[in-house]
Amino acid sequence: MKKMVRNKLAVAGALCAGIFGAGNASAVYLDVVPQSIVPPSNPVGIGSIVQVDVNIGDLTDFSAPALGAYELNILFNSTVLQYSGAVWGSELDQSLLGSFQQQESSGAGNGRVNFLEISYDDIATLNDLQSGEFTLFTAYFTAIAAGKSDIVVEPLSLSDAQGNALTVNQNYDSSVSVVPVPAALPLL
């Protein structure tokens, strides 16, 4: 029990160190990838579900640096898309202890959802088992009106397993176009 508490405190310290920029920074990238649009078409029709993966990369497979914690916002046009929910990835939970996950969607009506995740895994486990590229989470949106919505990742803090800040080298954002669905043709 003491070891688990100590690990949780170390990870909380890692997030704080990442926020305040302690240690050496490694560069990573974040991208937003529309993985599937239901029904599959581009542009999408009003009422369609848009599934977007938020990924991280340029870490090293099964070696340091590994991602230990992150906080970021997803920004979107709330007059075109409505946030529906998210499914978390699993790379910050290598030893099945779980991770602290917090999603703040009270700003979704204004086009902002905040995501925070802190791994409970120890440093060695994250460094030895985490992939160099993976999905942080998958966000779901419903197309509610015609128009275009950029989907932007706004990184607030990323830290490695030891609490050193990770720098976002590149951001790959995305966009979704929504069009009115044509009325059904009358049957002859």
Side-chain angles (χ1 to χ4, degrees), residues 11-22 26 28 30 56 67-73 92 114-118 136-137 153-160 163-168 171:
V11 171
L15 179 62
C16 291
I19 291 171
F20 298 111
S26 296
V28 299
L30 293 171
I56 188 166
L67 182 67
Y70 66 88
E71 181 177 16
L72 54 87
N73 290 330
L92 270 70
N114 178 267
F115 293 88
L116 168 72
E117 185 173 14
I118 304 170
L136 297 174
F137 57 87
V153 176
E154 178 185 42
L156 302 175
S157 173
L158 289 93
S159 63
D160 69 11
N164 297 317
L166 294 172
T167 302
V168 177
N171 248 9

mmCIF file of all heavy atoms in Angstrom, residues 11-22 26 28 30 56 67-73 92 114-118 136-137 153-160 163-168 171:
data_model
loop_
_atom_site.group_PDB
_atom_site.id
_atom_site.type_symbol
_atom_site.label_atom_id
_atom_site.label_comp_id
_atom_site.label_asym_id
_atom_site.label_seq_id
_atom_site.Cartn_x
_atom_site.Cartn_y
_atom_site.Cartn_z
ATOM 1 N N VAL A 11 3.901 10.353 -9.356
ATOM 2 C CA VAL A 11 3.253 10.733 -10.614
ATOM 3 C C VAL A 11 2.636 12.122 -10.488
ATOM 4 O O VAL A 11 2.726 12.935 -11.410
ATOM 5 C CB VAL A 11 2.199 9.683 -11.020
ATOM 6 C CG1 VAL A 11 1.378 10.155 -12.196
ATOM 7 C CG2 VAL A 11 2.887 8.383 -11.356
ATOM 8 N N ALA A 12 2.025 12.424 -9.346
ATOM 9 C CA ALA A 12 1.489 13.772 -9.148
ATOM 10 C C ALA A 12 2.623 14.789 -9.212
ATOM 11 O O ALA A 12 2.484 15.854 -9.806
ATOM 12 C CB ALA A 12 0.760 13.864 -7.805
ATOM 13 N N GLY A 13 3.765 14.440 -8.634
ATOM 14 C CA GLY A 13 4.936 15.314 -8.729
ATOM 15 C C GLY A 13 5.419 15.432 -10.156
ATOM 16 O O GLY A 13 5.849 16.496 -10.599
ATOM 17 N N ALA A 14 5.318 14.349 -10.913
ATOM 18 C CA ALA A 14 5.724 14.377 -12.324
ATOM 19 C C ALA A 14 4.855 15.349 -13.101
ATOM 20 O O ALA A 14 5.348 16.115 -13.930
ATOM 21 C CB ALA A 14 5.622 12.978 -12.933
ATOM 22 N N LEU A 15 3.548 15.340 -12.844
ATOM 23 C CA LEU A 15 2.676 16.283 -13.537
ATOM 24 C C LEU A 15 3.033 17.707 -13.149
ATOM 25 O O LEU A 15 3.130 18.581 -14.012
ATOM 26 C CB LEU A 15 1.204 16.002 -13.225
ATOM 27 C CG LEU A 15 0.229 16.959 -13.901
ATOM 28 C CD1 LEU A 15 0.335 16.838 -15.421
ATOM 29 C CD2 LEU A 15 -1.177 16.732 -13.443
ATOM 30 N N CYS A 16 3.245 17.947 -11.876
ATOM 31 C CA CYS A 16 3.612 19.299 -11.438
ATOM 32 C C CYS A 16 4.930 19.728 -12.075
ATOM 33 O O CYS A 16 5.072 20.854 -12.527
ATOM 34 C CB CYS A 16 3.720 19.367 -9.921
ATOM 35 S SG CYS A 16 2.126 19.212 -9.099
ATOM 36 N N ALA A 17 5.886 18.826 -12.120
ATOM 37 C CA ALA A 17 7.169 19.161 -12.740
ATOM 38 C C ALA A 17 6.975 19.467 -14.209
ATOM 39 O O ALA A 17 7.593 20.380 -14.751
ATOM 40 C CB ALA A 17 8.156 18.007 -12.558
ATOM 41 N N GLY A 18 6.081 18.709 -14.864
ATOM 42 C CA GLY A 18 5.798 18.977 -16.275
ATOM 43 C C GLY A 18 5.157 20.333 -16.467
ATOM 44 O O GLY A 18 5.465 21.061 -17.410
ATOM 45 N N ILE A 19 4.280 20.707 -15.568
ATOM 46 C CA ILE A 19 3.618 22.008 -15.669
ATOM 47 C C ILE A 19 4.620 23.135 -15.477
ATOM 48 O O ILE A 19 4.604 24.130 -16.180
ATOM 49 C CB ILE A 19 2.475 22.113 -14.625
ATOM 50 C CG1 ILE A 19 1.335 21.158 -15.017
ATOM 51 C CG2 ILE A 19 1.978 23.542 -14.495
ATOM 52 C CD1 ILE A 19 0.270 21.021 -13.956
ATOM 53 N N PHE A 20 5.536 22.959 -14.535
ATOM 54 C CA PHE A 20 6.463 24.036 -14.225
ATOM 55 C C PHE A 20 7.795 23.919 -14.961
ATOM 56 O O PHE A 20 8.691 24.714 -14.755
ATOM 57 C CB PHE A 20 6.688 24.115 -12.712
ATOM 58 C CG PHE A 20 5.411 24.432 -11.982
ATOM 59 C CD1 PHE A 20 4.816 23.489 -11.178
ATOM 60 C CD2 PHE A 20 4.790 25.659 -12.146
ATOM 61 C CE1 PHE A 20 3.632 23.770 -10.519
ATOM 62 C CE2 PHE A 20 3.606 25.941 -11.497
ATOM 63 C CZ PHE A 20 3.025 24.999 -10.683
ATOM 64 N N GLY A 21 7.913 22.911 -15.834
ATOM 65 C CA GLY A 21 9.065 22.838 -16.731
ATOM 66 C C GLY A 21 10.343 22.339 -16.104
ATOM 67 O O GLY A 21 11.424 22.738 -16.500
ATOM 68 N N ALA A 22 10.275 21.438 -15.148
ATOM 69 C CA ALA A 22 11.496 20.917 -14.535
ATOM 70 C C ALA A 22 12.190 19.957 -15.483
ATOM 71 O O ALA A 22 11.566 19.272 -16.262
ATOM 72 C CB ALA A 22 11.142 20.185 -13.232
ATOM 73 N N SER A 26 12.025 16.809 -23.954
ATOM 74 C CA SER A 26 12.077 16.055 -25.191
ATOM 75 C C SER A 26 10.928 16.541 -26.053
ATOM 76 O O SER A 26 9.899 16.988 -25.546
ATOM 77 C CB SER A 26 11.913 14.560 -24.917
ATOM 78 O OG SER A 26 12.990 14.084 -24.152
ATOM 79 N N VAL A 28 7.867 15.969 -28.770
ATOM 80 C CA VAL A 28 6.894 14.990 -29.249
ATOM 81 C C VAL A 28 5.956 15.690 -30.222
ATOM 82 O O VAL A 28 6.008 16.904 -30.386
ATOM 83 C CB VAL A 28 6.075 14.385 -28.087
ATOM 84 C CG1 VAL A 28 6.980 13.657 -27.114
ATOM 85 C CG2 VAL A 28 5.254 15.431 -27.366
ATOM 86 N N LEU A 30 1.688 15.891 -31.412
ATOM 87 C CA LEU A 30 0.295 15.546 -31.150
ATOM 88 C C LEU A 30 -0.445 15.683 -32.460
ATOM 89 O O LEU A 30 -0.201 16.619 -33.219
ATOM 90 C CB LEU A 30 -0.326 16.507 -30.125
ATOM 91 C CG LEU A 30 0.216 16.437 -28.709
ATOM 92 C CD1 LEU A 30 -0.333 17.590 -27.880
ATOM 93 C CD2 LEU A 30 -0.179 15.116 -28.059
ATOM 94 N N ILE A 56 -0.310 10.718 -29.859
ATOM 95 C CA ILE A 56 0.999 11.278 -29.531
ATOM 96 C C ILE A 56 2.053 10.397 -30.196
ATOM 97 O O ILE A 56 1.838 9.194 -30.379
ATOM 98 C CB ILE A 56 1.230 11.363 -28.008
ATOM 99 C CG1 ILE A 56 2.512 12.138 -27.694
ATOM 100 C CG2 ILE A 56 1.229 9.988 -27.373
ATOM 101 C CD1 ILE A 56 2.636 12.544 -26.243
ATOM 102 N N LEU A 67 5.446 8.788 -21.850
ATOM 103 C CA LEU A 67 4.507 9.790 -21.356
ATOM 104 C C LEU A 67 3.971 9.363 -20.000
ATOM 105 O O LEU A 67 3.473 8.250 -19.840
ATOM 106 C CB LEU A 67 3.349 9.976 -22.349
ATOM 107 C CG LEU A 67 2.316 11.030 -21.983
ATOM 108 C CD1 LEU A 67 2.933 12.439 -22.037
ATOM 109 C CD2 LEU A 67 1.117 10.956 -22.918
ATOM 110 N N GLY A 68 4.088 10.235 -18.998
ATOM 111 C CA GLY A 68 3.593 9.945 -17.654
ATOM 112 C C GLY A 68 2.322 10.697 -17.317
ATOM 113 O O GLY A 68 1.512 10.226 -16.523
ATOM 114 N N ALA A 69 2.131 11.879 -17.925
ATOM 115 C CA ALA A 69 0.960 12.690 -17.625
ATOM 116 C C ALA A 69 0.763 13.720 -18.731
ATOM 117 O O ALA A 69 1.724 14.105 -19.400
ATOM 118 C CB ALA A 69 1.131 13.400 -16.277
ATOM 119 N N TYR A 70 -0.491 14.134 -18.909
ATOM 120 C CA TYR A 70 -0.764 15.205 -19.870
ATOM 121 C C TYR A 70 -2.045 15.932 -19.494
ATOM 122 O O TYR A 70 -2.909 15.393 -18.801
ATOM 123 C CB TYR A 70 -0.867 14.671 -21.309
ATOM 124 C CG TYR A 70 -2.052 13.765 -21.555
ATOM 125 C CD1 TYR A 70 -3.295 14.283 -21.939
ATOM 126 C CD2 TYR A 70 -1.939 12.397 -21.406
ATOM 127 C CE1 TYR A 70 -4.372 13.451 -22.160
ATOM 128 C CE2 TYR A 70 -3.010 11.561 -21.634
ATOM 129 C CZ TYR A 70 -4.232 12.087 -22.009
ATOM 130 O OH TYR A 70 -5.305 11.266 -22.222
ATOM 131 N N GLU A 71 -2.124 17.160 -19.951
ATOM 132 C CA GLU A 71 -3.359 17.940 -19.897
ATOM 133 C C GLU A 71 -3.427 18.711 -21.200
ATOM 134 O O GLU A 71 -2.459 19.358 -21.610
ATOM 135 C CB GLU A 71 -3.392 18.895 -18.713
ATOM 136 C CG GLU A 71 -4.704 19.669 -18.664
ATOM 137 C CD GLU A 71 -4.849 20.591 -17.472
ATOM 138 O OE1 GLU A 71 -3.832 20.881 -16.810
ATOM 139 O OE2 GLU A 71 -5.979 21.029 -17.212
ATOM 140 N N LEU A 72 -4.573 18.638 -21.855
ATOM 141 C CA LEU A 72 -4.754 19.366 -23.099
ATOM 142 C C LEU A 72 -6.221 19.682 -23.315
ATOM 143 O O LEU A 72 -7.098 19.086 -22.706
ATOM 144 C CB LEU A 72 -4.175 18.585 -24.291
ATOM 145 C CG LEU A 72 -4.635 17.151 -24.519
ATOM 146 C CD1 LEU A 72 -5.902 17.090 -25.349
ATOM 147 C CD2 LEU A 72 -3.534 16.391 -25.219
ATOM 148 N N ASN A 73 -6.456 20.653 -24.167
ATOM 149 C CA ASN A 73 -7.810 21.015 -24.572
ATOM 150 C C ASN A 73 -8.028 20.592 -26.013
ATOM 151 O O ASN A 73 -7.106 20.636 -26.828
ATOM 152 C CB ASN A 73 -8.033 22.530 -24.491
ATOM 153 C CG ASN A 73 -8.080 23.048 -23.076
ATOM 154 O OD1 ASN A 73 -8.494 22.355 -22.159
ATOM 155 N ND2 ASN A 73 -7.651 24.275 -22.884
ATOM 156 N N LEU A 92 -1.144 4.707 -20.711
ATOM 157 C CA LEU A 92 -0.699 5.241 -19.426
ATOM 158 C C LEU A 92 -1.099 4.305 -18.279
ATOM 159 O O LEU A 92 -0.975 4.651 -17.112
ATOM 160 C CB LEU A 92 -1.253 6.643 -19.187
ATOM 161 C CG LEU A 92 -0.363 7.779 -19.700
ATOM 162 C CD1 LEU A 92 -0.323 7.832 -21.203
ATOM 163 C CD2 LEU A 92 -0.772 9.096 -19.121
ATOM 164 N N ASN A 114 -11.603 19.786 -21.909
ATOM 165 C CA ASN A 114 -10.294 19.599 -21.284
ATOM 166 C C ASN A 114 -10.112 18.133 -20.899
ATOM 167 O O ASN A 114 -11.037 17.510 -20.373
ATOM 168 C CB ASN A 114 -10.189 20.490 -20.038
ATOM 169 C CG ASN A 114 -8.876 20.314 -19.313
ATOM 170 O OD1 ASN A 114 -8.786 19.519 -18.390
ATOM 171 N ND2 ASN A 114 -7.874 21.044 -19.739
ATOM 172 N N PHE A 115 -8.913 17.597 -21.162
ATOM 173 C CA PHE A 115 -8.567 16.223 -20.812
ATOM 174 C C PHE A 115 -7.295 16.230 -19.974
ATOM 175 O O PHE A 115 -6.323 16.890 -20.325
ATOM 176 C CB PHE A 115 -8.324 15.392 -22.073
ATOM 177 C CG PHE A 115 -9.557 15.192 -22.893
ATOM 178 C CD1 PHE A 115 -9.926 16.110 -23.864
ATOM 179 C CD2 PHE A 115 -10.360 14.081 -22.697
ATOM 180 C CE1 PHE A 115 -11.062 15.935 -24.615
ATOM 181 C CE2 PHE A 115 -11.511 13.889 -23.446
ATOM 182 C CZ PHE A 115 -11.858 14.813 -24.409
ATOM 183 N N LEU A 116 -7.315 15.457 -18.888
ATOM 184 C CA LEU A 116 -6.176 15.318 -17.990
ATOM 185 C C LEU A 116 -6.033 13.847 -17.658
ATOM 186 O O LEU A 116 -7.019 13.180 -17.315
ATOM 187 C CB LEU A 116 -6.404 16.118 -16.703
ATOM 188 C CG LEU A 116 -5.443 15.864 -15.542
ATOM 189 C CD1 LEU A 116 -4.085 16.465 -15.845
ATOM 190 C CD2 LEU A 116 -6.003 16.440 -14.261
ATOM 191 N N GLU A 117 -4.807 13.319 -17.784
ATOM 192 C CA GLU A 117 -4.563 11.937 -17.393
ATOM 193 C C GLU A 117 -3.189 11.852 -16.744
ATOM 194 O O GLU A 117 -2.221 12.419 -17.241
ATOM 195 C CB GLU A 117 -4.633 10.994 -18.594
ATOM 196 C CG GLU A 117 -4.504 9.532 -18.196
ATOM 197 C CD GLU A 117 -4.743 8.562 -19.329
ATOM 198 O OE1 GLU A 117 -4.762 8.972 -20.508
ATOM 199 O OE2 GLU A 117 -4.894 7.362 -19.025
ATOM 200 N N ILE A 118 -3.125 11.123 -15.616
ATOM 201 C CA ILE A 118 -1.879 10.897 -14.892
ATOM 202 C C ILE A 118 -1.748 9.397 -14.659
ATOM 203 O O ILE A 118 -2.653 8.776 -14.097
ATOM 204 C CB ILE A 118 -1.870 11.630 -13.526
ATOM 205 C CG1 ILE A 118 -2.127 13.113 -13.706
ATOM 206 C CG2 ILE A 118 -0.558 11.376 -12.796
ATOM 207 C CD1 ILE A 118 -2.376 13.850 -12.400
ATOM 208 N N LEU A 136 -4.105 8.804 -27.260
ATOM 209 C CA LEU A 136 -4.388 9.253 -25.896
ATOM 210 C C LEU A 136 -5.850 8.990 -25.555
ATOM 211 O O LEU A 136 -6.170 8.482 -24.483
ATOM 212 C CB LEU A 136 -4.094 10.744 -25.748
ATOM 213 C CG LEU A 136 -2.636 11.167 -25.965
ATOM 214 C CD1 LEU A 136 -2.519 12.685 -25.942
ATOM 215 C CD2 LEU A 136 -1.737 10.533 -24.930
ATOM 216 N N PHE A 137 -6.737 9.363 -26.471
ATOM 217 C CA PHE A 137 -8.166 9.134 -26.304
ATOM 218 C C PHE A 137 -8.844 9.324 -27.649
ATOM 219 O O PHE A 137 -8.266 9.869 -28.587
ATOM 220 C CB PHE A 137 -8.789 10.059 -25.248
ATOM 221 C CG PHE A 137 -8.589 11.519 -25.521
ATOM 222 C CD1 PHE A 137 -9.472 12.233 -26.316
ATOM 223 C CD2 PHE A 137 -7.506 12.190 -24.975
ATOM 224 C CE1 PHE A 137 -9.268 13.582 -26.574
ATOM 225 C CE2 PHE A 137 -7.296 13.537 -25.223
ATOM 226 C CZ PHE A 137 -8.177 14.238 -26.021
ATOM 227 N N VAL A 153 -5.865 20.601 -31.160
ATOM 228 C CA VAL A 153 -5.308 20.194 -29.875
ATOM 229 C C VAL A 153 -4.546 21.380 -29.301
ATOM 230 O O VAL A 153 -3.674 21.945 -29.961
ATOM 231 C CB VAL A 153 -4.327 19.009 -30.036
ATOM 232 C CG1 VAL A 153 -3.680 18.674 -28.698
ATOM 233 C CG2 VAL A 153 -5.027 17.801 -30.598
ATOM 234 N N GLU A 154 -4.884 21.762 -28.083
ATOM 235 C CA GLU A 154 -4.179 22.834 -27.369
ATOM 236 C C GLU A 154 -3.452 22.199 -26.179
ATOM 237 O O GLU A 154 -4.060 21.953 -25.134
ATOM 238 C CB GLU A 154 -5.182 23.883 -26.896
ATOM 239 C CG GLU A 154 -4.550 25.005 -26.112
ATOM 240 C CD GLU A 154 -5.590 25.967 -25.559
ATOM 241 O OE1 GLU A 154 -6.645 25.520 -25.062
ATOM 242 O OE2 GLU A 154 -5.322 27.176 -25.613
ATOM 243 N N PRO A 155 -2.157 21.876 -26.335
ATOM 244 C CA PRO A 155 -1.433 21.244 -25.231
ATOM 245 C C PRO A 155 -1.194 22.232 -24.091
ATOM 246 O O PRO A 155 -0.760 23.354 -24.315
ATOM 247 C CB PRO A 155 -0.122 20.802 -25.869
ATOM 248 C CG PRO A 155 0.044 21.635 -27.090
ATOM 249 C CD PRO A 155 -1.323 22.069 -27.515
ATOM 250 N N LEU A 156 -1.502 21.810 -22.875
ATOM 251 C CA LEU A 156 -1.262 22.635 -21.696
ATOM 252 C C LEU A 156 -0.045 22.134 -20.931
ATOM 253 O O LEU A 156 0.749 22.936 -20.453
ATOM 254 C CB LEU A 156 -2.499 22.640 -20.794
ATOM 255 C CG LEU A 156 -3.787 23.143 -21.458
ATOM 256 C CD1 LEU A 156 -4.969 22.994 -20.510
ATOM 257 C CD2 LEU A 156 -3.638 24.577 -21.921
ATOM 258 N N SER A 157 0.086 20.803 -20.818
ATOM 259 C CA SER A 157 1.215 20.220 -20.100
ATOM 260 C C SER A 157 1.376 18.768 -20.504
ATOM 261 O O SER A 157 0.396 18.031 -20.569
ATOM 262 C CB SER A 157 0.972 20.307 -18.594
ATOM 263 O OG SER A 157 1.964 19.620 -17.886
ATOM 264 N N LEU A 158 2.612 18.378 -20.768
ATOM 265 C CA LEU A 158 2.951 16.980 -20.996
ATOM 266 C C LEU A 158 4.237 16.707 -20.243
ATOM 267 O O LEU A 158 5.154 17.527 -20.277
ATOM 268 C CB LEU A 158 3.185 16.687 -22.483
ATOM 269 C CG LEU A 158 1.970 16.704 -23.389
ATOM 270 C CD1 LEU A 158 1.797 18.075 -23.984
ATOM 271 C CD2 LEU A 158 2.128 15.674 -24.480
ATOM 272 N N SER A 159 4.302 15.548 -19.560
ATOM 273 C CA SER A 159 5.538 15.204 -18.862
ATOM 274 C C SER A 159 5.853 13.727 -19.057
ATOM 275 O O SER A 159 4.959 12.915 -19.280
ATOM 276 C CB SER A 159 5.447 15.541 -17.377
ATOM 277 O OG SER A 159 4.442 14.797 -16.740
ATOM 278 N N ASP A 160 7.138 13.417 -18.975
ATOM 279 C CA ASP A 160 7.550 12.024 -19.123
ATOM 280 C C ASP A 160 7.340 11.292 -17.796
ATOM 281 O O ASP A 160 6.846 11.866 -16.823
ATOM 282 C CB ASP A 160 8.975 11.924 -19.657
ATOM 283 C CG ASP A 160 10.045 12.378 -18.682
ATOM 284 O OD1 ASP A 160 9.756 12.603 -17.489
ATOM 285 O OD2 ASP A 160 11.206 12.519 -19.122
ATOM 286 N N GLY A 163 8.731 13.019 -14.772
ATOM 287 C CA GLY A 163 8.261 14.359 -14.453
ATOM 288 C C GLY A 163 8.913 15.460 -15.256
ATOM 289 O O GLY A 163 8.636 16.635 -15.045
ATOM 290 N N ASN A 164 9.795 15.105 -16.188
ATOM 291 C CA ASN A 164 10.422 16.121 -17.045
ATOM 292 C C ASN A 164 9.423 16.575 -18.111
ATOM 293 O O ASN A 164 8.664 15.767 -18.640
ATOM 294 C CB ASN A 164 11.673 15.559 -17.728
ATOM 295 C CG ASN A 164 12.732 15.168 -16.716
ATOM 296 O OD1 ASN A 164 12.994 15.886 -15.765
ATOM 297 N ND2 ASN A 164 13.328 14.010 -16.922
ATOM 298 N N ALA A 165 9.463 17.843 -18.402
ATOM 299 C CA ALA A 165 8.542 18.395 -19.399
ATOM 300 C C ALA A 165 8.817 17.816 -20.778
ATOM 301 O O ALA A 165 9.969 17.619 -21.161
ATOM 302 C CB ALA A 165 8.683 19.916 -19.454
ATOM 303 N N LEU A 166 7.754 17.524 -21.511
ATOM 304 C CA LEU A 166 7.847 17.131 -22.913
ATOM 305 C C LEU A 166 7.348 18.311 -23.740
ATOM 306 O O LEU A 166 6.306 18.880 -23.442
ATOM 307 C CB LEU A 166 6.993 15.893 -23.199
ATOM 308 C CG LEU A 166 7.422 14.599 -22.525
ATOM 309 C CD1 LEU A 166 6.377 13.510 -22.745
ATOM 310 C CD2 LEU A 166 8.774 14.149 -23.047
ATOM 311 N N THR A 167 8.091 18.675 -24.746
ATOM 312 C CA THR A 167 7.731 19.785 -25.613
ATOM 313 C C THR A 167 6.988 19.252 -26.826
ATOM 314 O O THR A 167 7.384 18.246 -27.410
ATOM 315 C CB THR A 167 9.001 20.522 -26.094
ATOM 316 O OG1 THR A 167 9.709 20.960 -24.944
ATOM 317 C CG2 THR A 167 8.652 21.707 -26.969
ATOM 318 N N VAL A 168 5.924 19.929 -27.215
ATOM 319 C CA VAL A 168 5.200 19.548 -28.426
ATOM 320 C C VAL A 168 5.911 20.191 -29.603
ATOM 321 O O VAL A 168 5.937 21.414 -29.740
ATOM 322 C CB VAL A 168 3.725 19.981 -28.360
ATOM 323 C CG1 VAL A 168 3.019 19.640 -29.663
ATOM 324 C CG2 VAL A 168 3.044 19.317 -27.178
ATOM 325 N N ASN A 171 1.998 20.132 -34.016
ATOM 326 C CA ASN A 171 0.586 19.864 -33.806
ATOM 327 C C ASN A 171 -0.038 19.621 -35.167
ATOM 328 O O ASN A 171 0.091 20.453 -36.053
ATOM 329 C CB ASN A 171 -0.091 21.093 -33.190
ATOM 330 C CG ASN A 171 -0.537 20.859 -31.779
ATOM 331 O OD1 ASN A 171 -0.232 19.862 -31.170
ATOM 332 N ND2 ASN A 171 -1.279 21.808 -31.276
#
